[in-house]
């Protein structure tokens, strides 16, 4: 049985197959309308979500399957003190596959140990978010035509941003990738990403504090929100929350082919005046998220058309 807990759980070849399948789903959605008939997806969300949960649900429904689940810890037996291990044993009796989001890092990994169905990590604390990574990779591959030879800027909360950790970990497997990591001192990428992922793989990267100077060199700018819910100290959050705001004026300095990605939700970090810029692809990214989750569900369930 396969789970997706970390982006590296899929080899590059498997990842390519998932992205190829997602691209075919995009072109021929009707072909896949009944693939998951009589199958159930459980969405176990112990933390807020709009896109991830609803894109999973939409993906399963598009495949002809159905969906059960809960969207907050308060409405599940977690509020009575049930462990993740017990909950997943129970859910294994109800569903064929599940997607779990949890504030504790590693919770989906614990779930996978006790599960009889594939577990998909839909975000665990400030750790990883592998299905957002699949979404990001599909967006980049579809709109840039490649996953290699790229200079990618990550901007904002690189410390707590799990989407950043997962996407960096996945991209270092491709050739000629360079990163510019733009964040305030307090929100730099964690040491384990810097050392075990970037330095260990000999990946060129720079850590800088200003956005403006790097814009001209980037193929992709991955903007992120400052992760309010991970701060211990509200004052610190307030001080840092608007550290970068991408404006029309700043975009004049950017490369004309640079794509702006954002996992969303956006708070203030991208001015709405940029939404009409053809380089702003964060809403297209949302659509790719559905195709790629359809492909992932099929892959983990071993289903084909
Ligand atoms: C991200 C997340 O939950 O980590 N959202 C998402 O799943 N698209 C990013 C965020 O919350 O900032």
């Amino acid at each position: 049985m396969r789970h997706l807990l970390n982006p590296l759980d899929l080899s590059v070849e498997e990842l390519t197959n998932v992205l190829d399948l997602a691209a075919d789903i995009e072109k021929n959605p009707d072909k896949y309308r009944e693939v998951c008939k009589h199958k159930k997806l459980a969405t176990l969300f112990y933390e807020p979500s709009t896109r991830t949960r609803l894109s999973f649900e939409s993906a399963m429904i598009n495949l002809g399957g159905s969906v059960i689940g809960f969207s907050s810890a308060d409405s599940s037996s977690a509020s009575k003190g049930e462990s993740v291990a017990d909950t997943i044993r129970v859910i294994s009796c109800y569903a064929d596959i599940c997607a779990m989001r949890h504030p504790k890092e590693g919770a989906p990994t614990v779930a996978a140990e006790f599960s009889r169905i594939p577990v998909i990590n839909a975000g665990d604390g400030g750790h990883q978010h592998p299905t957002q990574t699949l979404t990001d990779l599909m967006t980049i591959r579809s709109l840039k035509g490649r996953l290699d030879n790229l200079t990618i800027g990550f901007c904002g909360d690189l410390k707590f941003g799990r989407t950043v950790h997962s996407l960096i970990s996945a991209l270092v497997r491709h050739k000629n990738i360079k990163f510019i990591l733009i964040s305030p001192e307090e929100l730099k990428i964690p040491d384990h990403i810097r050392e075990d992922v970037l330095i260990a793989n000999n990946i060129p990267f720079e850590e800088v504090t200003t956005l403006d100077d790097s814009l001209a060199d980037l193929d992709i700018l991955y903007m992120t929100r400052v992760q309010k819910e991970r701060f211990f100290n509200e004052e610190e959050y307030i001080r840092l929350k608007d550290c970068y705001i991408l404006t029309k004026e700043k975009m004049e300095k950017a490369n004309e082919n640079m794509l702006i990605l954002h996992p969303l939700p956006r708070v203030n970090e991208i001015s709405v005046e940029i939404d009409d810029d053809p380089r702003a692809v964060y809403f297209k990214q949302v659509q790719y998220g559905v195709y790629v989750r359809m492909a992932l569900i099929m892959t983990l369930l071993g289903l084909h058309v």
Side-chain angles (χ1 to χ4, degrees):
M1 190 179 34
R2 297 293 303 269
H3 305 287
L4 182 71
L5 304 170
N6 182 297
L8 302 187
D9 290 344
L10 293 172
S11 67
V12 175
E13 193 188 345
E14 287 171 324
L15 171 80
T16 306
N17 291 341
V18 169
L19 296 182
D20 288 346
L21 177 58
D24 192 59
I25 292 172
E26 178 185 11
K27 268 196 243 117
N28 308 296
D30 286 348
K31 211 165 107 186
Y32 297 88
R33 258 197 350 227
E34 301 215 322
V35 154
C36 281
K37 209 170 165 190
H38 308 307
K39 300 275 182 210
K40 274 178 261 157
L41 165 79
T43 52
L44 315 178
F45 277 60
Y46 296 82
E47 244 195 6
S49 168
T50 298
R51 270 149 297 275
T52 306
R53 185 169 64 83
L54 297 183
S55 64
F56 264 115
E57 298 194 358
S58 170
M60 192 54 161
I61 291 165
N62 290 345
L63 294 169
S66 32
V67 182
I68 56 173
F70 53 83
S71 57
S72 81
D74 295 345
S75 63
S76 80
S77 282
S79 64
K80 301 179 185 171
E82 186 172 55
S83 67
V84 161
D86 282 3
T87 302
I88 197 70
R89 284 185 175 114
V90 170
I91 300 299
S92 297
C93 304
Y94 302 151
D96 301 284
I97 184 165
C98 80
M100 174 183 283
R101 168 168 291 189
H102 202 286
K104 283 213 184 100
E105 308 196 343
T109 305
V110 172
E113 275 174 42
F114 293 89
S115 182
R116 287 190 287 110
I117 58 173
V119 176
I120 302 169
N121 177 3
D124 61 328
H127 187 218
Q128 297 282 350
H129 194 344
T131 64
Q132 182 64 45
T133 295
L134 294 178
T135 304
D136 302 336
L137 294 175
M138 182 174 187
T139 307
I140 298 171
R141 201 182 78 157
S142 302
L143 301 177
K144 276 273 176 215
R146 62 181 195 274
L147 288 173
D148 51 11
N149 299 309
L150 292 168
T151 300
I152 300 140
F154 284 90
C155 177
D157 187 345
L158 312 189
K159 179 178 179 187
F160 295 118
R162 55 195 174 193
T163 63
V164 172
H165 308 157
S166 286
L167 184 53
I168 291 179
S169 307
L171 279 169
V172 300
R173 301 192 294 182
H174 298 275
K175 285 203 192 79
N176 199 14
I177 294 289
K178 185 179 163 196
F179 296 114
I180 302 188
L181 304 172
I182 309 150
S183 75
E185 275 304 312
E186 296 85 341
L187 299 177
K188 284 166 82 171
I189 50 150
D191 290 344
H192 68 94
I193 300 285
R194 184 181 306 102
E195 272 143 40
D196 305 345
V197 182
L198 295 172
I199 296 176
N201 288 293
N202 283 320
I203 305 297
F205 69 97
E206 282 171 52
E207 296 189 87
V208 300
T209 52
T210 54
L211 170 59
D212 302 44
D213 301 346
S214 339
L215 280 168
D217 303 324
L218 301 179
D219 298 305
I220 308 282
L221 173 60
Y222 195 94
M223 290 297 291
T224 63
R225 147 186 97 87
V226 175
Q227 306 277 300
K228 183 179 179 189
E229 64 277 35
R230 314 263 177 246
F231 279 72
F232 289 113
N233 173 338
E234 198 181 343
E235 264 166 49
E236 176 95 330
Y237 167 71
I238 292 170
R239 190 167 63 77
L240 294 171
K241 73 182 169 68
D242 292 326
C243 51
Y244 302 103
I245 300 183
L246 187 62
T247 56
K248 222 173 191 165
E249 199 189 335
K250 285 201 170 68
M251 281 304 290
E252 279 164 22
K253 297 188 188 157
N255 184 309
E256 59 177 345
N257 297 315
M258 183 191 83
L259 299 181
I260 311 163
L261 273 69
H262 191 308
L264 303 178
R266 153 176 63 185
V267 187
N268 276 332
E269 57 282 354
I270 301 180
S271 162
V272 292
E273 64 190 17
I274 291 177
D275 294 354
D276 297 332
D277 188 313
R279 294 170 289 185
V281 298
Y282 29 89
F283 291 113
K284 281 192 191 160
Q285 202 178 340
V286 173
Q287 181 67 64
Y288 289 125
V290 179
Y291 302 134
V292 95
R293 287 183 175 94
M294 289 169 74
L296 178 67
I297 291 170
M298 285 180 59
T299 303
L300 295 181
L301 289 177
L303 299 171
H304 306 276
V305 284

